[in-house]
Amino acid sequence: MQDIYEQIHELEGIPGMSKHEQFVQGIINTINAKLLSRGDALPSVNKLINELGFARETIAKGYKELVERGIVTSQNRKGFFVSTYDTGQQLKVALLLFAFDTFQETFYKTFRENIGENIQLDVFFHHNNIEVFESIVSSIKGRYGMYVVAPIPHPKTAEILKVLPMDKFLMIDRYEPLAAECSYIVQEFGESSYKVFSALTETIRRFDEMIFYYRPATDTPIEILKAFKRFVKDNKIKGVIKTAYQPGTVTKGKVYYTINNTELWAILKDCVEKNLTPGKDVGLLSHNDDIVKEIICNGITTYSTDFKLMAEKAADFVLNREKIQEVIPTTLIRRKSL
C-alpha cells in the first residue's frame, strides 16, 4: 500500500494538476511501475482519506473514472482491485447484442473500428431471452463507462434497464420506451415495412399469393407482422402467415418473405432442386441485407437499415457523449428475386 501513497504524493505540486488527476495518475503510475499486479487490492476510500487528506468525493470520483476506463474493477463489499496492465485505455464499453448474425457482425466490426484501440470493448449476447438479458444487465451495471444495448421487446425491459446510468447509455437497433429519457440510434419496422411492401405491389401481384414466415416469441418485430396484415388487406392480395418454412414445400407462383436467413437458404436450396428460378417462378423477399444476398442466385431483393451507419453514429456517441435520438432510414434494395 505504501507504494501507492508514495506514487500519489510524488505528483503533489505539479502546476495545473488537480487532486482528482493526481489520484488517478498516481494509481496508473503505480501499475506502470509494476508495483501492483492484476488482481491486487487497492486501498479503501477511508484509508486513502486518512493517508492523503483528500476529500471523499475526490477519491470516489477517481475510483469511478478508473473503473469506467477498465483499469480498476469494483467488487461489491470487497473493494477495488487492479484489473489490467493496459493503463492506456481511456474507456471500458459494454455492448449487448441479440446474437452474432451477419448484420450484427457488420455493426460490431464498424463499431470496434471507429471507437479506436484505446477503448476496451466487451460483447455480450442475450439471444432474445429476457432472463439472460436481465442476468447480463445485472452483471455489467457499475462496471463500465458506457453501455450500448440492443433491447428486447418485453414488459420487463424498462425495469431491467433502469439500473444503468442513462447519461452513459445508448439504445441501438430497436426502440423500447423507458421511464427515463435516453439516447438511441434505431431502425423503424412498421411503416418502413408497409412502404416496402407497397413499392413491390405490382410485382407481388404477378404471383398467386405472398407467404410470410413469422415466428412468435423470437426477435422478429411484431410491427412487421402488423404491416404485412395491413398491406395484404389494403391491396386485396392473398397473404398467408406461417410460423416456419418446411423444407421441400417451395411452390411455383408464390412470393416468400422471411426474416430468418437459415429459412431463406432452405428455400433457395429447394428452388435449385426443383429447378425454380427466383424472380420468375417464385418471388423472394428478405430482411437485413448482406453481401451474400447481393450475389447468390443473381441477387435477393431485401430491405434493410444501414447497420454500418448505425455503428458509426454509436461510436461517435461513445467518444463524444453528445445526446442523440435518431432513427436510421430503411432502404429497399431490388434485385432479381422480386
Side-chain angles (χ1 to χ4, degrees), residues 155-192:
K156 292 178 65 177
T157 295
E159 183 69 18
I160 292 170
L161 289 176
K162 76 175 186 179
V163 302
L164 300 180
M166 288 297 104
D167 60 326
K168 300 171 185 174
F169 174 83
L170 177 67
M171 185 182 297
I172 59 165
D173 194 18
R174 66 171 299 137
Y175 179 79
E176 286 295 312
L178 303 182
E181 191 174 84
C182 71
S183 288
Y184 57 81
I185 306 169
V186 296
Q187 58 179 315
E188 191 278 330
F189 299 100
E191 287 305 313
S192 58

Side-chain angles (χ1 to χ4, degrees), residues 47-62:
K47 285 183 179 179
L48 286 162
I49 292 172
N50 293 333
E51 179 65 30
L52 303 175
F54 288 4
R56 181 177 298 274
E57 182 181 352
T58 299
I59 296 170
K61 182 181 177 183

Side-chain angles (χ1 to χ4, degrees), residues 47-223:
K47 285 183 179 179
L48 286 162
I49 292 172
N50 293 333
E51 179 65 30
L52 303 175
F54 288 4
R56 181 177 298 274
E57 182 181 352
T58 299
I59 296 170
K61 182 181 177 183
Y63 267 143
K64 183 179 180 183
E65 178 180 330
L66 289 165
V67 169
E68 290 179 352
R69 289 170 61 174
I71 298 170
V72 167
T73 185
S74 172
Q75 296 184 19
N76 190 30
R77 297 184 180 179
K78 291 184 178 181
F80 298 93
F81 299 83
V82 177
S83 62
T84 182
Y85 292 115
D86 183 12
T87 56
Q89 62 189 35
Q90 299 300 308
L91 186 65
K92 187 179 180 184
V93 178
L95 175 62
L96 179 51
L97 301 172
F98 283 101
F100 217 41
D101 205 340
T102 305
F103 63 93
Q104 302 275 10
E105 185 177 2
T106 297
F107 179 94
Y108 168 77
K109 287 182 176 179
T110 305
F111 184 69
R112 172 69 274 179
E113 180 181 341
N114 280 266
I115 60 175
E117 296 179 356
N118 286 335
I119 291 180
Q120 177 180 331
L121 178 62
D122 292 343
V123 187
F124 305 87
F125 302 103
H126 57 66
H127 302 285
N128 206 53
N129 183 307
I130 195 64
E131 285 76 25
V132 173
F133 183 75
E134 184 172 19
S135 177
I136 292 173
V137 171
S138 177
S139 69
I140 64 177
K141 67 178 180 180
R143 293 176 174 268
Y144 292 84
M146 296 293 289
Y147 303 86
V148 181
V149 179
I152 293 177
H154 193 279
K156 292 178 65 177
T157 295
E159 183 69 18
I160 292 170
L161 289 176
K162 76 175 186 179
V163 302
L164 300 180
M166 288 297 104
D167 60 326
K168 300 171 185 174
F169 174 83
L170 177 67
M171 185 182 297
I172 59 165
D173 194 18
R174 66 171 299 137
Y175 179 79
E176 286 295 312
L178 303 182
E181 191 174 84
C182 71
S183 288
Y184 57 81
I185 306 169
V186 296
Q187 58 179 315
E188 191 278 330
F189 299 100
E191 287 305 313
S192 58
S193 293
Y194 187 86
K195 288 178 181 178
V196 165
F197 299 151
S198 298
L200 295 168
T201 301
E202 293 309 310
T203 304
I204 292 171
R205 286 191 189 281
R206 301 205 315 254
F207 297 87
D208 300 330
E209 67 179 12
M210 182 174 182
I211 301 173
F212 173 32
Y213 294 104
Y214 176 79
R215 301 184 178 196
T218 67
D219 59 346
T220 304
I222 193 171
E223 297 95 326

